[in-house]
Amino acid sequence: MDVTKLFLPQTQLEEWALADKADLRDGHLVVAEEGGASFPTVPAVHFVQLVSGDDTHQLVAKVKTEAQLASLGAEQMADSVLLGETAYEIVPGYLTEVAPRPSDKKVGNEADLLAAFILNKMG
């Protein structure tokens, strides 16, 4: 089964929550505009750029969950991650995975709907 992984920046989720479009509840993204569709989420960061040191782990432009950061021995502080002597600028947020359900009768599937919602709202 195909799974689509999407990174959702914290700032975007806050905007959606204030507009009553989507919200995080009990580790799930609930999208009100899609009839309350729910998608599991985990805290994650998007590595934007290298601030100092060498990117030996090739993390720039990657998304890692908190568990993956812990396994690397990395430490997150606000909008930065330190990994040994290397510092990165990051965007905090959440990672969600959506998989199409064979029983979906709608035009498109949940992954397409969520991706379209995110692209329309972020663009």
Side-chain angles (χ1 to χ4, degrees):
M1 182 183 304
D2 292 330
V3 175
T4 302
K5 291 183 180 185
L6 300 170
F7 175 74
L8 307 169
Q10 177 68 37
T11 55
Q12 185 65 57
L13 290 173
E14 289 169 1
E15 286 178 27
W16 291 345
L18 288 172
D20 291 327
K21 294 180 179 182
D23 201 6
L24 285 177
R25 294 185 201 133
D26 300 321
H28 286 79
L29 173 68
V30 179
V31 183
E33 291 187 3
E34 297 301 334
S38 176
F39 305 91
T41 59
V42 294
V45 300
H46 176 241
F47 287 82
V48 177
Q49 69 180 2
L50 183 65
V51 176
S52 67
D54 296 317
D55 188 18
T56 56
H57 292 280
Q58 299 179 331
L59 295 174
V60 174
K62 301 277 181 8
V63 172
K64 298 292 179 189
T65 65
E66 284 183 349
Q68 290 170 322
L69 291 178
S71 72
L72 289 170
E75 185 178 351
Q76 180 182 349
M77 292 184 287
D79 62 353
S80 300
V81 166
L82 298 175
L83 180 56
E85 299 296 318
T86 304
Y88 297 91
E89 178 184 337
I90 55 104
V91 174
Y94 294 85
L95 185 65
T96 187
E97 292 184 356
V98 291
R101 288 187 281 171
S103 62
D104 278 346
K105 302 286 188 227
K106 301 179 200 174
V107 176
N109 57 45
E110 286 183 345
D112 293 338
L113 292 172
L114 182 60
F117 174 76
I118 291 168
L119 292 173
N120 288 336
K121 301 303 177 198
M122 294 180 80

